[in-house]
Every structure is written in C-alpha cells, then in structure tokens.
Amino acid sequence: MPKSQKRLTGAAGSDKKGPSGKRTKTGNPDGASAKMENSSPQKTSASKNCGKNSSSHWLMKSEPESRLEKGVDVKFGIEDLKAQPNQTTCWDGVRNYQARNFLRAMKLEEEAFFYHSNCKDPGIAGLMKIVKEAYPDHTQFEKNSPHYDPSSKKDNPKWSMVDVQFVRMMKRFIPLAELKTHHQAHKATGGPLKDMALFTRQRLSVQPLTQEEFDFILSLEEKEPS
C-alpha cells in the first residue's frame, strides 16, 4: 500500500497483515499484535475452516500506532485507509495460514469491521468492504519488505491479499473491553458473542463473523457504552 504503511498482521509465525505498507498486525485479546499468530501450516484446521466457512462478514485487524518492523513503520489505522486514493487499499502482509484462507474465502462487497489492535485503545473503528477478491500478495517477493518470504515462489505463491474500501466510521468506537464484557455474559446466556473469534481465536488478524455477531455489534452503536 502506498505510504501510510498499513500492516495486517500475518507474517510467518505471526499473523501480520499489511497492505503494501499497510500494517494490520494485531490480534490478541488485549489488542496485541496479530503478528504473534502461529503461521506454521495450519492446513488442517485452516483449510477445513475455509472450506466450511460460509461467513459473509469479517473482522480485520490493523495497527493505528507507529511501530517499526525491519525499519518499516507498520502503522495503518482507519484514518489512513480513508486517506488512500478512492479510500481503497490492498490488505497485504498476512502470514498465517488460517487468516490467509479466510482472505481467500472473501467475496466482493462483503463487509468487514476495521479493528484497531496492538494499541492503547483496541476496538472496532469502522466498516470497510471487499472490492477485490484474493490474489497474490506482492510483499512476499520483496526482499526489503517485513513480509518477505523466501520460501514462496512466484509460480506457486503462498500468500494472498484482498483489496478493501472504506465504508464508514462506526457511530461510536466499540472498545475491546466492551466486547469482552458482552462475550463473557453471552457465554453464560447463549448470546450472539458467546463464540466470537476475537476471544476464541484471539491471535488471528482476519476473522469470520456470523450474521448474529455482526448485527449485535452494529446494534451497540446505538447504545451507551456499558
């Protein structure tokens, strides 16, 4: 991605995501970087999950605060997405097999929450949509990129990315702490967020959402913070 390096967590061993410069690297329950994702070929569950995945909504993490990785600032928040030409960019840098498979499962016009991670105030900042389905991530072949993967070959690339476009800001920022409170309550009551991947697969920088999860989170915009 052009300058504002948005990084999506997903490098090998980590789930880094970072559109050409866009870094979305987060994924821990506390907002820690997704780059901690284990990228060892999780083809077993990854491929399975992708094959069975029927999600049409997503949550994608990126870091809104500056952090250098191999000399590159991986900062890329939702304001950086808004500043891109046509408010569109590629979501590159994912280096976790399961997260990559979720990218490959995405379809045009599907919506994703833009989640700020690995920062002081992690949470959902806005909405974006998929405007180009999965294609090879160029950063895997760039030796000066933090996401370079010498084991990936151009005739059989390991890593994929999609293009995303800004849709809108959330009516209010939905913090991780608030989502966690609902998740814990829903585990007891069987509510919509009981199995939310943000808490059950925290390290993934790209996560599927059920329709119920997506709708519930949108409903939080209209409510006072709990």
Side-chain angles (χ1 to χ4, degrees):
M1 251 2 218
K3 305 209 170 167
S4 35
Q5 312 255 156
K6 154 195 343 160
R7 279 286 212 285
L8 305 189
T9 8
S14 322
D15 174 15
K16 306 172 169 190
K17 170 262 157 253
S20 299
K22 147 192 353 167
R23 279 310 186 155
T24 259
K25 256 156 202 184
T26 310
N28 292 339
D30 58 352
S33 172
K35 87 188 268 201
M36 312 221 21
E37 250 176 18
N38 180 357
S39 89
S40 49
Q42 306 182 27
K43 289 180 178 169
T44 47
S45 63
S47 300
K48 272 186 201 173
N49 286 348
C50 185
K52 296 179 181 179
N53 177 60
S54 59
S55 176
S56 58
H57 301 288
W58 309 91
L59 182 148
M60 300 167 74
K61 300 176 180 180
S62 189
E63 298 183 23
E65 297 175 0
S66 290
R67 180 175 67 80
L68 294 180
E69 184 174 327
K70 297 183 180 178
V72 176
D73 189 351
V74 299
K75 171 187 180 295
F76 197 90
I78 196 164
E79 294 294 341
D80 297 308
L81 174 59
K82 287 176 66 177
Q84 297 300 311
N86 299 317
Q87 299 184 320
T88 300
T89 191
C90 60
W91 201 261
D92 64 42
V94 171
R95 297 296 181 270
N96 170 277
Y97 287 97
Q98 189 169 21
R100 176 206 66 183
N101 288 350
F102 285 138
L103 289 176
R104 291 179 176 180
M106 293 175 177
K107 302 299 180 187
L108 290 178
E109 300 301 311
E110 290 182 345
E111 290 187 312
F113 285 123
F114 192 120
Y115 181 93
H116 282 173
S117 71
N118 201 26
C119 57
K120 181 179 179 181
D121 297 308
I124 295 173
L127 272 172
M128 55 190 179
K129 65 181 179 180
I130 309 307
V131 293
K132 184 175 181 178
E133 294 178 6
Y135 61 105
D137 177 351
H138 58 90
T139 63
Q140 64 194 302
F141 306 120
E142 298 172 353
K143 293 185 178 180
N144 62 346
S145 169
H147 303 306
Y148 175 59
D149 183 353
S151 69
S152 184
K153 308 304 177 187
K154 290 193 175 182
D155 59 352
N156 185 27
K158 285 184 179 181
W159 308 110
S160 301
M161 62 185 181
V162 297
D163 285 359
V164 298
Q165 184 176 54
F166 175 81
V167 172
R168 67 175 177 85
M169 300 295 289
M170 298 297 283
K171 294 177 184 177
R172 69 176 181 87
F173 184 80
I174 311 295
L176 172 64
E178 182 177 347
L179 293 169
K180 187 173 184 179
T181 296
H182 288 297
H183 166 65
Q184 292 175 333
H186 290 182
K187 283 197 298 181
T189 63
L193 302 192
K194 63 183 185 299
D195 297 318
M196 189 178 180
L198 184 63
F199 304 102
T200 61
R201 286 180 279 180
Q202 305 99 313
R203 292 171 183 261
L204 283 175
S205 65
V206 178
Q207 305 175 355
L209 291 172
T210 65
Q211 185 69 53
E212 292 73 19
E213 290 168 342
F214 184 79
D215 290 344
F216 180 83
I217 292 169
L218 283 182
S219 75
L220 296 177
E221 292 185 297
E222 309 295 341
K223 299 176 182 176
E224 290 297 318
S226 54

